[in-house]
Amino acid sequence: MSILKSIENAIPPIHPEGHKFIAIFAVVTLIVGWFVTPLFWIGLALTIWCALFFRDPVRVTPVAPGLVISPADGRVSHIALVVPPPELGLGDRPRLRICVFMNVFDCHVNRAPVAGRVARIVYRPGKFLNAELDKASEDNERSGMVITTPAGLDIGVVQIAGLIARRIVGFVREGETLAIGDRFGLIRFGSRVDVYLPETAGARVAVGQHTYAGETVLADLAGGPIAPVVRVS
């Protein structure tokens, strides 16, 4: 019984958003595999990949005043002071922007980087460029959200569609209250999430570092260095 429990704990739950896609992959695999056996194994591998794409593991979120937690699994691709997208209504002064790029093997469930009230949600159509490119923040299809923290700070979170991603899914509405680490959406299938913070915030990650949604500390609103010095070994 303990072995079965261990196996159950080792397999992360699947987000309901993925059930229909996994079912489609599985049905196509069975039909095609019935006629061409080698294609069954290819389809099986793709079905497993689809299930992993929509995994929704339990995360342990650090909770402390001023912490900003990563909204996405992935790699930090950019850290810079940038003027936020105009539709967010965050003004025209540069803010600290931290970008997390998600490839097709990362978990794609996005989580709130801070606690607060969802003050604004704005969808903007656009292109489907490689989400790793810096200009993807301006040109690509995106869905922006502004969270107002209990301290009155406005934090911008932007889900950006990528080269393969064609659908941004949101789970929350304006006026709702989020706890830090709450799930607020996902993007299918490979994309990026940008976080816009006050320019005085201090980054606690470096470009190239891998982050985990709901667990990795991205920044500290209390301030500090924009990017830490790191040693790769």
Side-chain angles (χ1 to χ4, degrees):
M1 193 67 177
S2 59
I3 296 178
L4 292 177
K5 190 66 177 178
S6 298
I7 294 174
E8 180 182 342
N9 292 336
I11 300 175
I14 303 299
H15 193 277
E17 182 69 24
H19 291 169
K20 59 184 176 182
F21 293 95
I22 298 169
I24 291 171
F25 272 72
V27 170
V28 172
T29 295
L30 291 173
I31 293 174
V32 174
W34 179 266
F35 297 100
V36 185
T37 301
L39 293 182
F40 169 81
W41 299 109
I42 296 174
L44 179 61
L46 291 174
T47 302
I48 293 173
W49 165 78
C50 186
L52 290 175
F53 179 89
F54 286 103
R55 66 191 183 276
D56 187 15
V58 175
R59 295 290 166 81
V60 179
T61 303
V63 178
L67 290 187
V68 179
I69 307 302
S70 179
D73 284 26
R75 182 178 59 82
V76 178
S77 58
H78 301 86
I79 300 176
L81 292 175
V82 179
V83 176
E87 67 267 18
L88 293 182
L90 295 176
D92 56 4
R93 291 179 58 85
R95 283 175 165 251
L96 176 64
R97 184 187 70 185
I98 302 178
C99 309
V100 179
F101 173 75
M102 298 175 282
N103 65 37
V104 295
F105 298 105
D106 287 315
C107 172
H108 272 58
V109 175
N110 300 144
R111 294 171 178 258
V114 294
R117 183 180 63 86
V118 179
R120 178 176 297 141
I121 296 178
V122 186
Y123 168 78
R124 182 185 182 279
K127 301 178 182 178
F128 297 96
L129 304 175
N130 184 343
E132 279 201 280
L133 299 176
D134 190 45
K135 63 180 180 179
S137 293
E138 299 178 3
D139 297 339
N140 280 25
E141 176 177 315
R142 60 183 183 256
S143 178
M145 178 173 66
V146 176
I147 302 174
T148 302
T149 70
L153 296 175
D154 288 331
I155 307 300
V157 185
V158 183
Q159 296 170 290
I160 301 173
L163 189 64
I164 301 174
R166 300 284 161 151
R167 183 77 169 93
I168 299 173
V169 182
F171 306 151
V172 298
R173 297 180 179 180
E174 290 184 1
E176 291 188 23
T177 299
L178 292 172
I180 189 169
D182 277 356
R183 300 161 180 82
F184 71 86
L186 61 80
I187 319 174
R188 306 191 299 252
F189 282 92
S191 42
R192 180 173 130 189
V193 179
D194 293 351
V195 180
Y196 290 87
L197 306 169
E199 61 179 313
T200 55
R204 294 294 179 262
V205 289
V207 172
Q209 182 176 338
H210 193 278
T211 66
Y212 294 93
E215 288 193 346
T216 304
V217 176
L218 275 192
D220 187 345
L221 294 174
I226 287 182
V229 176
V230 297
R231 176 176 177 268
V232 180
S233 59

